[in-house]
Amino acid sequence: NTESSAASDVYKRQGRIWAWGFDWSNIFTEVEDTTPYRRVDGNLYLQRVISGHWFGMANGTAQRNDELGLALRLSGALSLGYYLVQSSRHELQVTAGLSQNREWSTEEDQIEDNIEAPLRLDYRLYRYDSPTTELRVRGGYMPSLTSKRYRFDADISGRQEIVSDLFVELKYYISYDSVPPAGATSKKDSGITFGIGWSK
């Protein structure tokens, strides 16, 4: 059983009004006597403070998940968010919005368009004093507005800075799709990864 993972996270603030970021992960899993499969997740977002704890967010994602029969999913979303907790060590936010995506199946030349109403929670516990330590818990529920399908994903991760801006990370993830694309071997994909990443 061989699993490799690579991840990166870039984050930049401009004053206290705008923020943008990009995160990416690539997981390759090989189990004896089975076909290797890959899981890729990329997310680019732009966030703007509206007033007080309210903010707006636009993001685009690209995903691949062989186990769930997904060759590629491209999506764009607009969301409204609120910080339930925001301090020097804790951050808890909730977002809700609308998302449009297009999916390509791994098994057939099947293309599907979906409109979803994602609801997400994101909690962070961090220490900025060097070396930086961070614990993050994220979860999202994505019901479809165009079918009876729904998706769910969540992860919990901890990372520790070992040298300036270089981190080691341990992460557990799970994804569930009630009606996965053709070619799926399961409705659920989960695992544990260890990775090294760079963050600024």
Side-chain angles (χ1 to χ4, degrees), residues 37-172:
Y37 68 89
R38 187 180 297 274
R39 173 190 172 110
V40 180
D41 291 280
N43 177 47
L44 175 65
Y45 70 88
L46 178 67
Q47 181 176 318
R48 189 184 193 281
V49 174
I50 298 175
S51 176
H53 287 205
W54 291 97
F55 63 90
M57 180 180 291
N59 69 289
T61 63
Q63 298 171 296
R64 170 180 171 176
N65 193 315
D66 294 344
E67 191 164 9
L68 295 182
L70 184 66
L72 178 65
R73 177 189 293 123
L74 297 176
S75 64
L78 292 175
S79 304
L80 180 66
Y82 184 81
Y83 283 101
L84 299 171
V85 178
Q86 193 175 28
S87 70
S88 59
R89 296 181 65 89
H90 301 270
E91 198 172 82
L92 174 62
Q93 67 181 42
V94 58
T95 59
L98 288 175
S99 173
Q100 168 76 48
N101 67 58
R102 171 165 285 196
E103 297 177 342
W104 289 261
S105 169
T106 57
E107 188 173 88
E108 304 174 356
D109 294 331
Q110 177 182 332
I111 300 176
E112 184 175 345
D113 293 309
N114 300 285
I115 299 176
E116 297 175 323
L119 175 65
R120 292 191 171 275
L121 281 173
D122 189 344
Y123 171 72
R124 293 175 65 201
L125 168 65
Y126 45 84
R127 184 186 70 183
Y128 281 132
D129 297 335
S130 187
T132 302
T133 301
E134 180 179 345
L135 173 68
R136 190 167 191 179
V137 181
R138 296 182 289 188
Y141 174 63
M142 287 76 69
S144 174
L145 300 181
T146 52
S147 70
K148 295 182 179 181
R149 177 185 181 189
Y150 65 90
R151 299 187 295 112
F152 169 81
D153 62 60
D155 63 73
I156 178 170
S157 61
R159 62 179 192 162
Q160 177 67 46
E161 186 179 26
I162 50 178
V163 296
S164 180
D165 299 329
L166 186 66
F167 293 80
V168 292
E169 179 179 36
L170 184 64
K171 178 178 181 179
Y172 169 77

